[in-house]
Amino acid sequence: MTTTDVEGHRYRLRGGEEWRDPWDDYRWLRDRDPVHWVHHPDKGLFVVLSRFADVFDAARDPATFSSAQGLTPDADVMAFFDGQAAPIVMLDPPEHTAMRRLVSRPMTPSRVEEMEPAITRFVDVRLDRIADEAAGGHAVDVVERLLKPLPSFVVAHFLGVPEEDRGRFDAWTDAIVAANASEELGSATAAFADLFTYAGSLIERRRSDPGEDIVSDLVQAGTVDAEWIVGFVFTMVAGGNDTTTGLLGGSLELLTGSRGERAVLLDDRSLVRPAVDELLRLTSPVQNLGRTTTQEVELHGVVVPEGTKVMLLYGSANRDERQFGPTAGDLDVGRRPERILSFGYGAHHCLGAAVARLAGGIALERILDRFPDFEVDAAAGRFAPGPYVRRYESLPFTTG
């Protein structure tokens, strides 16, 4: 067992430029210290699990690895929700199961597929603008033009935000996602207040005018209070935006660097959507999240006491050679991984998984159709701050 402080080379809560290439450190952890203790000056003592089998088993065992004490190493993270309803991602079964059942109906694959024409139109309009701006070989920030607006559009749709309110909603979303990434939530105080107020008015609107959306379903169910619904709206905004941005930015980088794999997709567009899971595996937008042990656990000869914060290192697990073979770190668009951890697993498997796959697949299809010779300049790209989601904050894109 190796223990490091926050400056330790092998694991740290990364952010910004530190996200550029964490893969060698992850490999060291998997091979040398799969149960890795970290002393952090602000967040205290916690454990990091880096192998696929260990992370997978922990993710599907909420009775032992609980989410109810928060998803970060912070000992007092739940104080933020004191007197308020905890977000669904910070509930364990059976409470989590009951709440998940209420919000899952609009997010099923069959319901999600109904949104394909709208997503396609949105992407095409944005690509038209990119084509105009990139004329003559100019680089365009693809994050600003497409990768950030797309998930905001999708989240607004599933929450039932009316078209006339989308501008305001997008502005609040941008502010909250930026603050969440930097962990400086106070910097988005006005956006928080405006969104909470708006969510309350949206709930009242859906009482008399329900639609085919999650807020309407929750209101009509009549089994949860308005405060909990407002909290769910915030959860969707904070968790449903930068993850899709991370998937798409990372995918464009991979396809720029792997021309042979791109050629496979260009030769047969029907392979693009099946390849999204391979891209999700390698990009792993949510790189790590925390759990808390409810009992003593022993892993690889290391005893982890009850009440210990445990970080599940999804980004490492998804590249584990023990699970995916010796080419685990390489893009193979023909690979069909049976299990990946990009959406978690088990009870907390991401509600928006089908949405992310659809939006990601459509965006990549349309980019390859319109700009088969595109390039992104990863070296000039800038990573967002924040220790949990790895995504580009800006990424220069040329159409080729």
Side-chain angles (χ1 to χ4, degrees):
M1 179 183 72
T2 300
T3 306
T4 67
D5 61 21
V6 71
E7 299 300 328
H9 173 65
R10 300 309 182 183
Y11 177 86
R12 56 189 175 275
L13 292 170
R14 297 171 184 265
E17 183 63 21
E18 290 181 309
W19 278 128
R20 188 164 298 280
D21 189 13
W23 318 123
D24 286 344
D25 286 351
Y26 288 178
R27 185 181 301 109
W28 189 96
L29 289 168
R30 293 193 302 269
D31 291 345
R32 305 285 188 87
D33 196 16
V35 185
H36 185 71
W37 289 89
V38 175
H39 285 288
H40 193 283
D42 300 321
K43 302 180 187 301
L45 182 67
F46 58 92
V47 168
V48 180
L49 303 183
S50 53
R51 289 184 182 175
F52 183 93
D54 297 332
V55 176
F56 179 79
D57 288 345
R60 61 179 183 159
D61 183 7
T64 304
F65 295 88
S66 170
S67 299
Q69 297 303 312
L71 304 181
T72 74
D74 304 81
D76 59 350
V77 65
M78 298 306 291
F80 181 79
F81 303 102
D82 187 35
Q84 305 177 54
I88 187 172
V89 293
M90 297 181 188
L91 297 175
D92 289 327
E95 294 83 4
H96 175 270
T97 306
M99 291 300 186
R100 185 181 177 96
R101 190 176 296 119
L102 289 174
V103 299
S104 61
R105 188 174 68 89
M107 309 285 279
T108 60
S110 60
R111 289 283 297 276
V112 167
E113 287 174 5
E114 297 172 2
M115 200 185 173
E116 179 164 351
I119 294 175
T120 302
R121 286 192 298 272
F122 183 92
V123 171
D124 283 344
V125 168
R126 292 283 171 163
L127 293 181
D128 286 342
R129 297 175 187 172
I130 288 175
D132 291 341
E133 294 179 26
H138 298 290
V140 175
D141 183 358
V142 71
V143 175
E144 181 182 359
R145 295 296 184 264
L146 174 63
L147 309 191
K148 188 170 68 171
L150 175 59
S152 181
F153 165 76
V154 172
V155 168
H157 170 86
F158 281 99
L159 290 176
V161 177
E163 196 71 39
E164 62 270 21
D165 293 341
R166 293 284 173 88
R168 290 191 299 156
F169 181 83
D170 288 350
W172 298 327
T173 295
D174 289 348
I176 290 169
V177 167
N180 192 50
S182 66
E183 294 195 300
E184 295 178 2
L185 299 181
S187 65
T189 300
F192 276 109
D194 289 344
L195 178 63
F196 284 139
T197 299
Y198 176 78
S201 67
L202 182 62
I203 290 167
E204 292 307 312
R205 185 184 316 190
R206 292 311 181 208
R207 291 191 196 280
S208 58
D209 183 23
E212 294 291 320
D213 58 79
I214 295 175
V215 171
S216 293
D217 281 5
L218 291 172
V219 169
Q220 298 304 309
T223 55
V224 293
D225 59 27
E227 181 185 80
W228 193 90
I229 300 175
V230 170
F232 183 78
V233 170
F234 171 77
T235 300
M236 286 280 289
V237 168
N241 282 272
D242 48 357
T243 49
T244 302
T245 303
L247 161 64
L248 288 170
S251 296
L252 295 180
E253 176 187 1
L254 288 166
L255 291 171
T256 294
S258 303
R259 292 307 181 99
E261 296 304 299
R262 185 201 301 204
V264 173
L265 301 181
L266 289 171
D267 287 342
D268 185 354
R269 296 294 201 283
S270 70
L271 298 178
V272 174
R273 295 195 196 185
V276 168
D277 270 15
E278 171 72 348
L279 293 163
L280 278 163
R281 182 183 73 82
L282 288 171
T283 57
S284 294
V286 179
Q287 288 280 301
N288 47 194
L289 285 177
R291 300 289 192 270
T292 304
T293 55
T294 61
Q295 60 187 14
E296 182 181 286
V297 178
E298 183 173 343
L299 291 168
H300 306 290
V302 178
V303 175
V304 180
E306 177 184 346
T308 300
K309 291 285 186 176
V310 178
M311 294 298 289
L312 306 184
L313 193 49
Y314 303 123
S316 171
N318 273 338
R319 291 172 176 245
D320 189 350
E321 297 84 356
R322 296 157 188 81
Q323 178 69 19
F324 302 104
T327 62
D330 300 330
L331 175 64
D332 177 358
V333 296
R335 195 194 313 258
R336 300 291 177 263
E338 292 182 10
R339 300 181 299 188
I340 60 173
L341 287 160
S342 305
F343 295 120
Y345 217 88
H348 284 284
H349 183 261
C350 177
L351 271 169
V355 184
R357 285 187 172 101
L358 179 67
I362 292 171
L364 292 171
E365 283 177 343
R366 302 305 295 143
I367 289 171
L368 289 169
D369 284 344
R370 294 285 299 275
F371 313 122
D373 298 318
F374 80 85
E375 289 188 1
V376 296
D377 186 352
R382 184 176 68 250
F383 284 93
Y388 308 111
V389 177
R390 181 180 184 268
R391 67 177 176 91
Y392 279 103
E393 191 173 55
S394 67
L395 185 62
F397 176 97
T398 52
T399 58

